[in-house]
């Protein structure tokens, strides 16, 4: 039985929808995939699984910061201080309250990485 309860038995997997979008610089793109990860995984694991499933499309790079890993490049598109661009993560339409190293997506959640201007 699959309810909306966020507690999953040990060893169970969740499915997360993951979309990367760029509509601000260079060639625009939007790609989506469905990723299965162990319940309780942080978002970084979702990105790693997506990259494993398709290196060309979902490749990404992180940089270590004092508060945790920060995604600085997805699909070969790097953030830029000069251009004031960065990769912003959303759950549906809401900006994620935490970074990729601490945020734990729920089953069926739609995570969006959007190349954004600040």
């Amino acid at each position: 039985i699959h309810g909306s309860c966020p507690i999953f038995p040990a060893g169970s997997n969740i499915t997360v929808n993951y979309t990367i979008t760029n509509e601000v610089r260079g060639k625009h793109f939007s790609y989506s995939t469905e990723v299965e990860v162990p319940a309780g995984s942080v978002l970084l694991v979702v990105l790693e699984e997506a990259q494993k499933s398709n290196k060309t499309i979902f490749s990404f790079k992180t940089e270590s910061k004092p508060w945790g890993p920060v995604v600085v490049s997805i699909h070969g598109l790097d953030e830029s201080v000069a251009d004031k661009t960065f990769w912003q993560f959303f759950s549906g339409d809401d900006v994620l309250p935490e970074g990729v190293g601490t945020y734990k997506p729920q089953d069926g959640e739609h995570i969006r990485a959007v190349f954004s201007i600040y």
Side-chain angles (χ1 to χ4, degrees):
I1 298 166
H2 186 78
S4 59
C5 180
I7 312 255
F8 289 87
S12 66
N13 284 351
I14 61 167
T15 301
V16 179
N17 295 299
Y18 174 53
T19 302
I20 58 172
T21 306
N22 163 43
E23 294 176 344
V24 294
R25 288 280 181 274
K27 192 176 173 208
H28 294 182
F29 60 80
S30 184
Y31 300 104
S32 293
T33 188
E34 227 179 46
V35 179
E36 204 173 277
V37 296
S41 296
V42 295
L43 181 51
L44 193 57
V45 175
V46 172
L47 272 64
E48 287 164 353
E49 285 302 315
Q51 180 171 257
K52 277 184 207 164
S53 72
N54 190 326
K55 262 205 166 103
T56 312
I57 291 177
F58 295 106
S59 62
F60 74 99
K61 288 189 212 127
T62 58
E63 268 179 21
S64 294
K65 303 285 184 189
W67 57 89
V70 173
V71 174
V72 295
S73 178
I74 297 176
H75 192 68
L77 186 59
D78 298 350
E79 68 173 19
S80 161
V81 175
D83 285 345
K84 296 193 157 115
T85 51
F86 72 112
W87 282 100
Q88 189 168 28
F89 284 84
F90 295 83
S91 170
D93 294 325
D94 302 322
V95 174
L96 289 190
E98 298 172 78
V100 294
T102 49
Y103 184 77
K104 294 179 179 175
Q106 299 297 310
D107 189 42
E109 195 168 336
H110 184 195
I111 297 292
R112 296 165 49 233
V114 180
F115 201 57
S116 306
I117 299 172
Y118 57 85

